[in-house]
Amino acid sequence: MGLSSFNPFGSSSSSSTSTPSSPKPSADGAFIAPDRTSRAKCYEARDAFFQCLDKNGILDAIKDEDKARKECGVVEKAFGRECAGSWVTYFKQRRVMEWKKQQTLNKIEAEGGWVPEGAATPAASQPQMPK
């Protein structure tokens, strides 16, 4: 995919037939960072995708790509449309990393170890995986 087709933040339109506008380069040629509204749309799309993954018992949308697409394809497309591709990959990887971190902290606490305050990720943002 060339830079001419690169679209980090998608269209503000909810229509699936519209073509997202390309990001505008700054005077030095670098792309302009997303504004607050674009970031908010990206976060909303990410949260909807992750809720779908949780509902379907999928932790790793990269490793379980086929299942994630089958169960959550529509919201995944919205996620990809509203966020930069690099952000989509980052959020998917971070989801798994945060889950593993929480599992490690839970194990430390269960074994009587001390976990520093603030080290745990809030439970509301953790994927709920079957045990």
Side-chain angles (χ1 to χ4, degrees):
M1 175 194 319
L3 285 180
S4 62
S5 63
F6 176 72
N7 181 18
F9 295 98
S11 169
S12 60
S13 171
S14 61
S15 171
S16 61
T17 59
S18 68
T19 303
S21 61
S22 297
K24 296 177 182 155
S26 64
D28 67 358
F31 290 106
I32 297 172
D35 62 15
R36 184 181 308 215
T37 303
S38 295
R39 288 191 309 270
K41 288 178 183 178
C42 173
Y43 300 151
E44 288 173 19
R46 174 203 60 195
D47 293 346
F49 178 58
F50 286 177
Q51 285 175 351
C52 182
L53 293 177
D54 289 345
K55 180 178 141 188
N56 290 286
I58 303 167
L59 172 63
D60 190 339
I62 295 172
K63 186 178 104 183
D64 298 326
E65 182 178 9
D66 292 338
K67 185 176 180 185
R69 284 220 171 106
K70 179 183 177 201
E71 301 296 334
C72 304
V74 173
V75 288
E76 183 178 27
K77 284 181 184 178
F79 181 29
R81 194 172 47 247
E82 295 297 341
C83 300
S86 61
W87 286 32
V88 170
T89 302
Y90 168 78
F91 286 137
K92 288 178 179 180
Q93 290 171 338
R94 182 173 173 93
R95 172 182 164 85
V96 175
M97 183 274 304
E98 288 290 338
W99 184 82
K100 288 179 179 179
K101 173 185 165 187
Q102 191 60 50
Q103 296 307 302
T104 300
L105 293 172
N106 292 347
K107 183 178 176 184
I108 291 169
E109 284 183 323
E111 293 172 352
W114 175 75
V115 176
E117 188 175 322
T121 304
S125 66
Q126 286 299 305
Q128 302 300 315
M129 294 298 107
K131 296 186 184 206

Coordinates of all heavy atoms in Angstrom, one line a residue, residues 6 10 22 24 29 31 40 49 54 60-61 69 75-76 78 89 93-94 98 113 116-117 119-120 122 126:
F6 N -2.7 5.8 2.0 CA -2.7 5.8 3.5 C -3.7 6.7 4.1 O -3.8 7.8 3.7 CB -1.3 6.2 3.9 CG -1.1 6.2 5.4 CD1 -1.1 5.1 6.2 CD2 -1.0 7.5 6.0 CE1 -0.9 5.2 7.5 CE2 -0.9 7.5 7.4 CZ -0.8 6.4 8.1
G10 N -9.6 7.8 8.8 CA -10.9 7.6 8.2 C -11.8 8.8 8.0 O -11.4 9.9 8.3
S22 N -8.1 11.7 2.6 CA -6.7 11.5 2.9 C -6.2 12.5 3.9 O -6.7 13.6 4.0 CB -5.8 11.6 1.7 OG -6.2 10.5 0.8
K24 N -3.9 15.3 5.6 CA -3.3 16.5 4.9 C -1.8 16.6 5.4 O -1.6 16.5 6.6 CB -4.0 17.7 5.2 CG -5.4 17.7 4.6 CD -6.2 19.0 4.9 CE -7.6 18.8 4.3 NZ -8.6 19.6 5.0
G29 N 5.9 18.2 5.0 CA 5.6 16.9 4.3 C 5.1 15.8 5.3 O 4.6 14.8 4.8
F31 N 2.5 14.1 8.0 CA 1.1 14.1 8.1 C 0.7 14.8 9.4 O 1.4 14.6 10.4 CB 0.5 12.7 8.0 CG 0.6 12.1 6.6 CD1 1.5 11.1 6.4 CD2 -0.2 12.6 5.6 CE1 1.6 10.6 5.1 CE2 -0.1 12.1 4.4 CZ 0.8 11.1 4.1
A40 N -11.2 10.6 19.5 CA -12.4 10.1 20.2 C -13.2 9.1 19.4 O -13.6 8.1 19.9 CB -13.4 11.3 20.5
F49 N -15.1 -2.7 19.3 CA -14.5 -3.9 18.8 C -14.0 -4.8 20.0 O -14.3 -6.0 20.0 CB -13.3 -3.5 18.0 CG -12.5 -4.7 17.5 CD1 -13.1 -5.7 16.7 CD2 -11.1 -4.8 17.7 CE1 -12.4 -6.8 16.2 CE2 -10.4 -5.9 17.3 CZ -11.1 -6.9 16.5
D54 N -14.7 -9.5 23.7 CA -15.0 -10.0 25.0 C -16.2 -10.9 25.0 O -16.2 -12.0 25.6 CB -15.2 -8.8 26.0 CG -13.9 -8.1 26.4 OD1 -12.8 -8.6 26.1 OD2 -14.0 -7.0 26.9
D60 N -6.9 -12.4 21.7 CA -5.9 -12.0 20.8 C -6.5 -11.9 19.4 O -6.6 -12.9 18.7 CB -4.7 -12.9 20.8 CG -3.5 -12.3 20.1 OD1 -3.7 -11.5 19.2 OD2 -2.4 -12.8 20.4
A61 N -6.8 -10.7 18.9 CA -7.5 -10.6 17.6 C -6.5 -10.7 16.5 O -6.9 -10.9 15.3 CB -8.1 -9.2 17.5
R69 N -12.6 -11.9 12.9 CA -13.3 -11.4 11.7 C -14.7 -12.0 11.5 O -15.6 -11.3 11.1 CB -12.4 -11.7 10.4 CG -11.3 -10.8 10.3 CD -11.0 -10.3 8.9 NE -10.0 -9.3 8.9 CZ -8.8 -9.4 8.5 NH1 -8.4 -10.6 8.0 NH2 -7.9 -8.4 8.5
V75 N -17.6 -4.5 13.3 CA -17.0 -3.5 14.2 C -15.5 -3.4 14.0 O -14.9 -2.3 14.2 CB -17.4 -3.8 15.7 CG1 -18.8 -3.4 15.9 CG2 -17.1 -5.2 16.1
E76 N -14.9 -4.5 13.5 CA -13.4 -4.4 13.2 C -13.2 -3.5 12.0 O -12.2 -2.7 12.0 CB -12.9 -5.8 13.0 CG -11.3 -5.7 12.7 CD -10.7 -7.1 12.5 OE1 -11.4 -8.0 12.0 OE2 -9.5 -7.2 12.8
A78 N -15.0 -0.9 11.2 CA -15.2 0.4 11.7 C -14.0 0.9 12.5 O -13.5 2.0 12.4 CB -16.5 0.5 12.6
T89 N -3.1 -2.0 15.2 CA -2.1 -3.0 15.6 C -1.7 -2.8 17.0 O -1.6 -3.8 17.8 CB -0.9 -3.1 14.7 OG1 -1.4 -3.3 13.3 CG2 0.1 -4.1 15.0
Q93 N -2.3 -5.4 20.2 CA -1.2 -6.0 21.0 C -1.2 -5.6 22.4 O -0.9 -6.4 23.3 CB 0.2 -5.5 20.3 CG 0.4 -6.1 19.0 CD 1.6 -5.5 18.3 OE1 2.0 -4.4 18.6 NE2 2.2 -6.2 17.3
R94 N -1.6 -4.3 22.7 CA -1.6 -3.8 24.1 C -2.7 -4.5 24.8 O -2.6 -4.8 26.0 CB -1.9 -2.3 24.1 CG -1.9 -1.8 25.5 CD -2.0 -0.3 25.5 NE -2.2 0.2 26.9 CZ -1.2 0.5 27.7 NH1 0.0 0.5 27.2 NH2 -1.4 0.9 28.9
E98 N -1.8 -6.2 28.3 CA -2.5 -5.8 29.6 C -3.1 -7.0 30.3 O -3.1 -7.1 31.5 CB -3.5 -4.7 29.3 CG -2.9 -3.3 29.0 CD -2.2 -2.7 30.1 OE1 -2.5 -3.0 31.3 OE2 -1.4 -1.8 29.9
G113 N 2.4 -12.1 47.5 CA 3.3 -11.1 47.2 C 2.7 -9.7 47.2 O 1.5 -9.6 47.3
P116 N 2.6 -3.1 44.0 CA 2.6 -1.7 44.2 C 1.3 -1.0 43.8 O 0.7 -1.5 42.8 CB 3.7 -1.1 43.4 CG 4.5 -2.2 42.9 CD 3.7 -3.5 43.0
E117 N 0.8 -0.1 44.6 CA -0.4 0.6 44.3 C -0.3 1.3 42.9 O 0.7 1.8 42.5 CB -0.7 1.7 45.3 CG -2.0 2.4 45.2 CD -2.3 3.4 46.3 OE1 -1.9 3.1 47.4 OE2 -2.9 4.4 46.0
A119 N -0.2 -0.4 40.1 CA 0.4 -1.3 39.1 C -0.7 -2.1 38.4 O -0.5 -2.5 37.2 CB 1.3 -2.3 39.8
A120 N -1.8 -2.4 39.0 CA -2.8 -3.1 38.4 C -3.6 -2.3 37.4 O -3.8 -1.1 37.6 CB -3.8 -3.7 39.5
P122 N -7.1 -1.2 35.8 CA -8.5 -1.2 36.2 C -9.3 -2.3 35.6 O -9.1 -2.6 34.4 CB -9.0 0.2 35.8 CG -7.8 1.0 35.5 CD -6.7 0.1 35.2
Q126 N -10.1 -4.4 31.5 CA -9.5 -5.7 31.2 C -10.5 -6.6 30.4 O -11.7 -6.7 30.8 CB -9.2 -6.4 32.5 CG -8.0 -5.8 33.2 CD -6.8 -6.0 32.3 OE1 -6.4 -7.0 31.9 NE2 -6.1 -4.9 32.1

